[in-house]
Every structure is written in C-alpha cells, then in structure tokens.
Amino acid sequence: MTIHIGAEPGQIAETVLMPGDPYRARWAAETFLEGAELVNEVRGMLGFTGTWRGHRVTIQGSGMGMPSLSIYVNELIRDYGARTLIRIGSCGAMQEGVALRDVILAMTASTISTPSRGIFRDLNFAPPADWSLLHAAWEAARQKGVTTHVGGIYSSDVFYDERPDHNEQLVRHGVLGVEMEAAELYTVALRHKVRALAVLTVSDHLLEGEALPSHDREKSFGDMVEIALAAAFS
Ligand code: HPA
C-alpha cells in the first residue's frame, strides 16, 4: 500500500494503462481484460488488474491534471515496479487537419509548468515519448484503420484558459492538441528509465468549436485502449 494506492505489492502489473477518469478505467478493464480485479479504490481512483492475451495489465485512473497524475505515476513506478505506462485520454485538437475521433500519439509535450518544473529551473525540458511504444502504437493504429497523427502536444494546467493569444502561438507552431497530463507522465518516466506514451482521442476541436457527443466517445475510447494494449505488448 502507498498513500494513494491501496493495492498489495504484486497486485499491480508492470504495464499500466492510465485514463484520467476512474469510471473509464472500470469500463476498459471490464471490456478488454480477462479476470479483472479491483486493486485500488482509495479516493475513488479505481484501478483494476487482469490479463490481455495472457499478459498482465493494470488499468488505473490518473485523475485530471498533472499534479494528480504525478502522484499515481510516482507511486506506480517507485513502489509497485511499473515499467510501461500509457496514458489513454482525450484532447482538444489545435490543427485544421486533425478531426474529431482521430488519434494523436504525442511525440513530446510542451508545458508552462509541471510538478517537475522545480528540477529544471530555467531549462525548458522537452520530454519525449518512448520510441518503441510510439512506433508500435502507430503500427497498431494503422492496422485498425484509425486516422492517426504523430507530433507535439500541449499539456496545460488549466482547462478554461483565459489567455486567447496563448493558443494562437501553439497553433502557429504546429501543436496538434491540448490535454492536461502527458508532459509530467513523460518526465517522471524518463527520470526512472521506464517507458511512457500518451495515446489521445480527439474529443473536441479548439478551432472548429465542435465536440464529440458523449455516446460517441465510447467507440473512440475503445480504439485507443486496443492501440495502447497492442503497443505495450508488440
Ligand atoms: N483542453 C484541455 N484538456 C482537454 C481538452 C481541452 O480542450 N479536451 C480534452 N482535454
């Protein structure tokens, strides 16, 4: 047990998929894993461990935003021995060529700040995804026929950003989408020499002002889980 995860040692797999929403963790575990067992419910941040095609997998909610994700990722790696961590989540598209339901594989994630910011002081650290996972996820998405984009994203500290000119600069520099967790996931994973990737489905479009209706989100979310599982065990 850790401060935020109630699982016993050994109840967490080396491969962990991390949706922001704990109910998504339950849905993904019930839909894609065999023998899924609840291993964490501290603060309602549900985690499940089961198997996918014979491989042990944990699906653990991260909560929203980097401070929340950072707690779970630190404890999963340092206390439970997690070695492959894949965020499965949604993002807002920031380029015209990216559409609702497309998948974005984040090659790197820009930020203003992460919980790791203090370590870097005046350095703007550019945290990359693990190449083996990125490459395998690209291949899995291609085989599923899902339209997929690979490039930089923006991990924001706020969902409701009050600075209109801020997004303009990100769009101008080719940032594909915005979410709130990947930069810290990549940074902590790099620090501990484990693998990380963010597989994101486009749930809304910042330029077009569109959003996926909630009943459509399940299918897109399911594609993402399958891409992440295939990448983890390729
Ligand atoms: N902003 C930040 N995070 C998000 C968004 C967004 O528009 N959409 C999904 N996650």
Side-chain angles (χ1 to χ4, degrees):
M1 273 174 47
T2 58
I3 296 175
H4 304 94
I5 302 176
E8 297 299 328
Q11 280 191 308
I12 303 277
E14 283 194 4
T15 298
V16 184
L17 267 49
M18 303 192 77
D21 178 352
Y23 291 118
R24 282 281 154 102
R26 179 162 66 199
W27 179 84
E30 285 171 354
T31 307
F32 295 101
L33 302 189
E34 279 173 27
E37 273 183 47
L38 180 71
V39 294
N40 184 48
E41 53 183 335
V42 176
R43 290 177 182 246
M45 198 56 74
L46 306 177
F48 298 82
T49 298
T51 61
W52 179 77
R53 299 187 183 170
H55 303 285
R56 275 185 95 224
V57 182
T58 294
I59 306 183
Q60 168 66 52
S62 70
M64 288 181 283
M66 291 184 272
S68 177
L69 170 127
S70 189
I71 290 170
Y72 295 103
V73 168
N74 269 287
E75 293 182 8
L76 287 167
I77 296 171
R78 298 198 308 204
D79 299 299
Y80 291 99
R83 287 289 167 268
T84 296
L85 298 100
I86 305 182
R87 163 161 160 69
I88 44 175
S90 61
C91 70
M94 300 184 94
Q95 299 294 325
E96 274 172 11
V98 179
L100 294 185
R101 299 181 193 80
D102 287 0
V103 163
I104 293 177
L105 303 176
M107 201 151 62
T108 185
S110 301
T111 59
I112 290 176
S113 181
T114 76
S116 298
R117 181 74 207 157
I119 296 175
F120 297 111
R121 302 185 193 179
D122 52 357
L123 177 77
N124 289 313
F125 181 63
D130 177 82
W131 166 247
S132 64
L133 288 176
L134 180 62
H135 184 263
W138 167 258
E139 194 50 41
R142 200 183 57 78
Q143 279 177 21
K144 284 183 75 62
V146 176
T147 305
T148 305
H149 309 266
V150 181
I153 62 159
Y154 171 52
S155 296
S156 178
D157 282 338
V158 286
F159 190 90
Y160 299 105
D161 204 316
E162 297 287 332
R163 299 157 301 180
D165 57 325
H166 180 70
N167 284 352
E168 259 173 51
Q169 295 308 326
L170 296 170
V171 172
R172 195 155 81 96
H173 289 84
V175 168
L176 296 174
V178 52
E179 51 84 78
M180 299 181 67
E181 291 84 14
E184 175 69 358
L185 169 63
Y186 288 8
T187 302
V188 177
L190 288 159
R191 191 180 309 149
H192 294 285
K193 298 186 171 49
V194 303
R195 305 194 302 166
L197 177 68
V199 180
L200 306 166
T201 188
V202 175
S203 62
D204 51 276
H205 207 299
L206 272 67
L207 306 180
E208 324 280 349
E210 309 163 319
L212 267 189
S214 54
H215 62 269
D216 258 26
R217 292 181 186 218
E218 201 158 276
K219 162 86 175 88
S220 302
F221 188 75
D223 284 343
M224 211 168 36
V225 177
E226 288 181 320
I227 291 167
L229 288 167
F233 301 109
S234 73

